[in-house]
Amino acid sequence: MEILDALLQGFATALSPQNLMLMMLGCIIGLFVGAMPGLGSVNGVAILLPVTFLVPPTGAIIFLAAVYYGAMYGGAISSIMLGIPGASTAVATVFDGRPLALQGKADWALVAAAVGSFVGGTVSVILFTLFAPPLADFALKFGPQEEFALMMLAFATFIGLGGDDIPKTIFSIAVGLVLAAVGLDEISGQPRMIFFDLPGFYHGINFLVLAIGIYGIGEILWTLETSQGDVKVSQASFAAKRIVDAFKKLKASIVTIISSSFLGYFVGILPAAGATPASLMAYGVAKTMSKDPNTFGKGNMSGVAAPETANNAASTGSMLPMITLGIPGSPTTAILLGGMIIWGLRPGPLLFVNQPEFVWGLIGSLYMANFFTVIINIAFIPLFVSVLKLPFTILAPIIFVLCIVGGYAPTQDLHDVWLIVIFGVVFYLLRKLNYPVAPAVLAIVLGPLTERALRQSLVAEQGDITTFIERPLSATILVLAVLLIVLPAIKMARQKNNRTSVADGKQP
Amino acid sequence: MTTRSAELLMAVLMGLLSVFLMWKSAELEIGWIPDRGPGGGAWPFWLSAVMLACCIITIFRWWRKATPESRSSVEFMDKNTRRINYITVGSLVALLGLTHIIGIYFSIFLFLLFYLRFVGRHSWLLTGTLSVASPVFLFFFFEAMLKILLPKGYSEPLFYPLYQIIY
């Protein structure tokens, strides 16, 4: 009952004229950003975060959550119409979305994507509403030791589940944490790592500097490199009858859509897993469960619905640890979390106690955003398609300009903008060499929180490091973190052994 | 340069950076202060040490040819990519450099003019419209709505009449 009351309050907050407008604007911008090849929710949120200082925190998070949501929907548009995924989260949508478009059934694919996204979003936001308050209640018991252990768990998931080169992943995390340490040492108040005595380093390196560098400048360099080929836009005709047909066809995919919603939500909760693996897993499960798996990859509507359902569900799932524990479940939520700190909020379980309006306003807005996005999505498809035809040489310089002014606005220091360009180029080169970049963004956001939790725990216990394993909760979390790192490493070593023994002519 | 050489070069450069960061964080106490826990420099120092260790492992794996990049003899950046990257990064650096002198609005105008016309080869009409409209829009958005002053360098006096309109 309590939850229902709070949720109604949340709806009231979300429906205030200003928030409603911000939500719709966010959905539209998100749809566009998501539909642009190369740009996804994380780019949109990173580039737009600086402009949200104009509105109160609740409005700001509603706007950015709508951008996040819209981008998840939008990713499908370019996957289907161009055959290029709008973001990594929509890669699996290409598998069946593109064949459908080539068969002249782009509208069917778009409807499948929209309906899947809508159901996935709705199921996951209901799960979110049910799970968030008890989890936050539980998390109120956490001391700095548990907070530190949780951060370690978040990093461990990137190492264990990220699927990237392990030394390179650890390097990326460490870089993010070191960059976060620049500026004044919070505990002793001494200046730390002031490179070349430049005054700009005294205020530290804001996470946005790295996020805009990587997801703005770096991403565009990446896209300029990869999009050198010609892009072919499929034509879609929209007739009411065909849309009704599409809905009828989609009946066969109901089970897939529901199961992908749950799968997406729970995969989304795990830090590092997020929407991309969720959508690929959902596609795999849908194919395995299907009666005619052979039609997958040739234009099966379930093949479009499954990944789109899962990526939307995962995007809501990744907000659960962000809101309740203060641990982001994806790079996009890492940036949202950083935003919350800038807006003067302290992410974590206390949000539910101290800022109920903020939390429930956000939850209420997720229900609404879901509803608006599906309508705007279907209504604006022809417009999106014409924008998609814009050459990248128009889009790229405009995004660069947005990065530059967006990077300047928060601190109003050109020093930060120079850093954005430097980080953009360096991390683009690192990414080309298969260094994962998302862990660095996660780490720069979590860096100050991690260091504070570590040092607070140690100061309180007179420097006794065993405090982390003496407390049952933090010990359990740390054991989980260690397992997450160790298990994949063992598995990898085993596979390698097997390969060597096969190569030597022995049986594995 | 092949991808294989690029991987080695990057690992060595990042390793050197890690050493620099370790040295820099050692300006503060990096050891254990009795009964207090780690000193102010310990956190970044040991993390930089972890960075260095990762670089050394990457170099070792490069030598063993264990990573896909270390086995790749493909050119790290082809000619077209190099060209577009030099132009893009060069023009961004020029944009920022000019911002210190003539301010951000005129720099953005010149940047868009250059990029749209000479890189994108778009028509003068489109180039002109976007190059003028973008800084004008940004001016009203940032200065009038957000009250955030963007840097104007020596072009500041030109904005005095506009200030009178918006403030």
Side-chain angles (χ1 to χ4, degrees), chain A residues 54 165 167-168 185 191-192 194 225 393-394 400 408 412 414 417-418 428-429 432 434 451 458 462-463, chain B residues 7 24 28 32 35-36 38 40 43 54 61 67 69 76-77 81 85 88 96 100 122 146 148 150-151:
Chain A
L54 188 65
D165 187 296
K168 289 178 179 174
D185 169 24
R192 181 164 70 174
I194 309 298
E225 176 182 346
T393 42
I394 296 183
F400 283 136
Y408 179 82
Q412 306 189 19
L414 271 176
V417 189
W418 281 106
Y428 155 74
L429 295 173
K432 268 181 79 72
N434 209 17
E451 190 190 358
L458 290 173
Q462 282 88 40
Chain B
E7 172 152 273
K24 193 72 193 163
L28 265 63
W32 197 268
D35 298 334
R36 288 280 303 164
W43 174 254
C54 291
R61 280 162 61 87
T67 64
E69 290 70 34
F76 179 58
M77 234 186 247
T81 309
N85 280 345
T88 306
L96 279 184
H100 289 277
H122 298 290
L146 294 180
I148 291 177
L150 298 187

Side-chain angles (χ1 to χ4, degrees), chain A residues 51 54 165 167-168 170-171 174-175 177-178 181 185 190-195 217 221 224-225 228 391 393-394 397-398 400-401 404-405 408-409 412 414 417-418 421 425-426 428-430 432-435 450-451 454-455 458-459 462-463, chain B residues 6-7 10 14 20-21 24 28 32 35-38 40 43-44 47-48 50-51 54-55 57 61 67 69 76-77 80-81 85 88-89 92-93 95-97 100 108 111-112 115-116 120 122 126 130 138 141-142 145-146 148-151:
Chain A
V51 301
L54 188 65
D165 187 296
K168 289 178 179 174
I170 301 177
F171 178 83
V175 169
L177 290 173
V178 173
D185 169 24
Q190 290 167 294
R192 181 164 70 174
M193 308 182 95
I194 309 298
F195 304 110
I217 309 281
L221 289 175
L224 277 172
E225 176 182 346
Q228 283 170 358
T393 42
I394 296 183
I398 291 180
F400 283 136
V401 167
I404 303 283
V405 290
Y408 179 82
Q412 306 189 19
L414 271 176
V417 189
W418 281 106
V421 175
V425 174
V426 172
Y428 155 74
L429 295 173
L430 284 171
K432 268 181 79 72
L433 289 166
N434 209 17
Y435 286 78
T450 314
E451 190 190 358
L454 171 71
R455 289 173 69 185
L458 290 173
V459 168
Q462 282 88 40
Chain B
E7 172 152 273
M10 183 60 93
M14 288 295 135
F20 170 71
L21 290 172
K24 193 72 193 163
L28 265 63
W32 197 268
D35 298 334
R36 288 280 303 164
W43 174 254
L47 284 167
S48 310
V50 170
M51 282 168 61
C54 291
C55 292
I57 297 174
R61 280 162 61 87
T67 64
E69 290 70 34
F76 179 58
M77 234 186 247
N80 282 339
T81 309
N85 280 345
T88 306
V89 176
L92 276 172
V93 169
L95 164 65
L96 279 184
H100 289 277
I108 287 177
F111 171 75
L112 288 177
Y115 212 95
L116 291 170
H122 298 290
L126 181 115
L130 272 177
L138 287 173
F141 186 76
F142 278 95
M145 268 175 78
L146 294 180
I148 291 177
L149 300 178
L150 298 187

Side-chain angles (χ1 to χ4, degrees), chain A residues 144-146 148-149 453-455 457-458 461 464-476 478:
Chain A
Q145 286 88 344
E146 282 76 22
F148 178 74
L454 171 71
R455 289 173 69 185
S457 319
L458 290 173
E461 301 294 325
D464 181 9
I465 201 156
T466 53
T467 172
F468 293 105
I469 39 174
E470 274 168 2
R471 294 169 63 112
L473 251 175
S474 85
T476 318
L478 282 176

